Amino acid sequence: MTAVHVPGNPVIEAGQLVSTSPATGVEAGRLPVATDADVRRAVDRARAASEWWAGLGFTGRRERLLRWRALLAKRIEQLAELVHVEGGKPVADAIVEIVTAIEHIDWAARNAGRVLGPRRVRSRLILAEFSGHLEYQPYGVVGVIGPWNYPVFTPIGSAAYALAAGNAVVLKPSEYTPAVGQWLVDSFAEVVPEQPIFTAVHGLGDVGAALCRSGVNKLAFTGSTATARKVMAACAETLTPVLIEGGGKDAMIVDSDADLDAAAEACVWGGMTNAGQTCIGIERVYAVDQVFDTFVDKVVARAGRLTVGPEGTDIGPITMPGQVDVIRRHIEAAVSSGGRAVLGGPNAVQPPYVHPTVLVDVPEESAAVREETFGPTLTISRVRDADEAVARANALSYGLGGSVFGRRRAVAIARRLHSGMASVNSTLTFAGMSTLPFGGVGDSGFGRIHGEDGLREFGRAKAITRRRARSLLPSMTFERTPTDVARLVKVIKAMYGR
Ligand code: NDP
């Protein structure tokens, strides 16, 4: 293992992408950088293979995906160690991430046939002589572009569902976590050695851009909203459909009847797990006046106990060295515009680490409240009541997840959040429930992974009508008579004209 100069920043050496630990600079992986031609070749090979994969049917794919799931479960410690070394994530957090991914593979494999397979649909009186048939057919090749912060969970959230639906997948992992991406496709190839069904191409952003233009039949992107715009623009050239899982600035609302200990515990975890580098992480909190002071005290007490460092801690290093500057800027701007750090503050930024920071009285227009910070920081704001909390939570163009703590009104408040998901009396839990769809609104993206919607995202609806009998009300033919048309008018008036 060789050390490099800037821990965590990937480098390209002799055509190889070298990823390093953000904590120690130790090399984590070395993968060949793909050229445009390599990317096209990978997609062409995947397209040829996809016919074989689709031909296995739901049962054949289910059996293979369950074997892959079993392999991940057996090697969970090994994969968690790689996630830890390459991205700096504490091993326990990596384990939780992989457990969630395993759960999604299992559910997608077991439910794809039921959700996507051929079924009869009811016809209506107007075309009663026809039967309706619906099925969701695979696209062919799905390109998956993933971020570094959840290098197992996010690609698998798209890939497992795309594979279960009968597609081949070409993955472009983040340049910060290529070794984890390669581990995933290698483990899949162990259980599906016959064809290149799930493969990876490596490199910087230009390799992702090449994947968008490579002829993939659908592109599933997870990453920042800024890159999402570029991905959509590239995919627009060929009308390639896209799924966008973008960034977020998720809010938590603490109502007057909340269990404050539970809220504080969940808030600290939701905001600071993975050093706050979580798309659905809690970044801002709105607590109603009656409970604000007690709640802040409880959050500070808990967050203040978290340990920070390279090994065996609660909070690891910031994965992307450049992100430290963003976090520092947000904290400094918050404090210089009237905010108070009740824990941490500007001195909490000690690259590559950021210590837990809790900010109060931060103006709503501050970057710490409006932009993705992606660090172990929280802003907590005092609000009059739940209505004001909802209005402030909904004031941004992001809308990924959210959390509400309370009793009587909590579910009603969760429904009013301008977001694709919400957890009541917990944080982030919707991500692990494979039966629920995952995705955002507004700048956080569109389309869904996970659950039935997540399976349908990777299949094209195919509709077939089949004649069962002669038409009693012939209309879609030049053979119809004026009497037929008059009868049709009469029937329609009787059915719908009242
Ligand atoms: P980026 O948008 O920087 O990168 C995401 C992926 O896109 C990477 O693989 C990147 O490659 C690639 N990429 C970069 N430029 C292009 C391009 N022009 N065309 C195609 N692909 C490109 O995001 P991060 O990796 O920094 O991830 C953090 C972001 O992801 C946060 O905003 C977070 O909220 C969001 N996210 C959203 C989730 C969701 O489910 N909604 C889940 C997890 C994270 P490279 O790394 O080589 O530059």
Side-chain angles (χ1 to χ4, degrees), residues 230-286:
K230 294 185 197 161
V231 164
M232 274 191 81
C235 288
E237 291 168 16
T238 46
L239 279 192
T240 303
V242 289
L243 158 75
I244 298 291
E245 297 289 350
K249 186 75 183 172
D250 286 359
M252 178 188 216
I253 292 176
V254 185
D255 204 359
S256 54
D257 55 358
D259 173 339
L260 296 185
D261 286 305
E265 182 221 316
C267 175
V268 171
W269 188 73
M272 299 186 182
T273 180
N274 195 24
Q277 305 167 109
T278 304
C279 54
I280 48 170
I282 300 299
E283 297 221 350
R284 51 199 178 114
V285 185
Y286 298 101

Side-chain angles (χ1 to χ4, degrees), residues 145-150 153-154 172-176 203-210 212 221-228 230-231 234 244-248 278-280 320 372 374 398 400 438-440 444 449:
I145 298 180
W148 47 265
N149 61 339
Y150 286 84
F153 168 78
T154 53
K172 153 66 178 83
S174 165
E175 68 202 46
Y176 291 90
L204 310 183
D206 59 312
V207 176
C212 297
F221 172 82
T222 307
S224 66
T225 304
T227 309
K230 294 185 197 161
V231 164
I244 298 291
E245 297 289 350
T278 304
C279 54
I280 48 170
M320 273 198 309
E372 213 174 22
F374 246 48
Y398 283 125
L400 197 49
F438 183 103
S444 296
I449 55 173

Side-chain angles (χ1 to χ4, degrees), residues 22 308-309 316-318 321 324-325 327-328 331 344-357 376:
V308 182
I318 299 303
V324 174
D325 296 331
I327 301 167
R328 184 189 291 111
I331 296 174
N347 294 335
V349 182
Q350 297 165 19
Y353 302 98
V354 177
H355 290 255
T357 290

